Amino acid sequence: MDNVGIVVADLDAAVAFFTELGMELENRMPISGQWAGDVVGLDDLRSEIAMMQIPNAPGKLELATYHSPKAVTPVPEVPPPNTLGVHRVMFAVDDLEDTIARLRPLGGEVIGKVSRYEDIFLLCYLRGPGGIIIGLAEQLN
């Protein structure tokens, strides 16, 4: 597992909370552009993330706030990826297309589309059973 993502309304408050819990801020940066919108299936995506880590341990927590489109506060039956409190767990995979094919019979549906981030990753978000959202990332050579 690479990281777990949580959409929050107030990034500063969330960073402070998880810092108090013992995590460290690794990086904070804006996220936007066509590739990002393609991964999560949202138009005109502008967000900011804070990557948190547990000292001397693997795995990370990605806290995200959405500037555009604005995060959705009410929880609809099938929430979009920018719903407050929705958790996304990102998994590193060797073959993204094969993984998608294996998860489809179990209810997996790609939310946006598979997107290439530079020559580094192939990425997508996938909705699974119960509406849970996971991310898949294939590192390119």
Side-chain angles (χ1 to χ4, degrees):
M1 183 170 62
D2 182 71
N3 68 68
V4 175
I6 302 174
V7 176
V8 299
D10 185 336
L11 193 57
D12 292 331
V15 168
F17 176 85
F18 287 102
T19 299
E20 182 63 29
L21 195 58
M23 299 186 82
E24 295 175 348
L25 178 64
E26 178 189 64
N27 192 11
R28 187 168 172 163
M29 60 194 250
I31 301 291
S32 63
Q34 187 67 43
W35 72 269
D38 287 348
V39 170
V40 298
L42 296 170
D43 294 328
D44 190 32
L45 179 90
R46 287 184 301 106
S47 65
E48 184 178 2
I49 65 167
M51 293 302 289
M52 307 294 296
Q53 63 183 20
I54 299 170
N56 303 313
K60 297 175 186 172
L61 178 66
E62 177 185 304
L63 304 172
T65 190
Y66 283 78
H67 304 296
S68 173
K70 290 288 185 192
V72 177
T73 302
V75 179
E77 186 175 334
V78 179
N82 62 333
T83 301
L84 292 175
V86 170
H87 297 249
R88 184 269 301 144
V89 179
M90 179 67 76
F91 294 92
V93 299
D94 293 330
D95 184 332
L96 186 66
E97 291 298 331
D98 177 66
T99 303
I100 292 168
R102 289 185 291 111
L103 292 175
R104 275 196 178 112
L106 302 172
E109 292 180 5
V110 174
I111 294 174
K113 53 187 166 183
V114 173
S115 180
R116 176 185 219 100
Y117 173 63
E118 298 177 356
D119 287 329
I120 303 171
F121 290 104
L122 285 178
L123 302 158
C124 75
Y125 273 19
L126 189 95
R127 191 177 302 279
I132 191 168
I133 297 172
I134 64 168
L136 301 174
E138 176 185 341
Q139 188 168 0
L140 303 172
N141 292 339

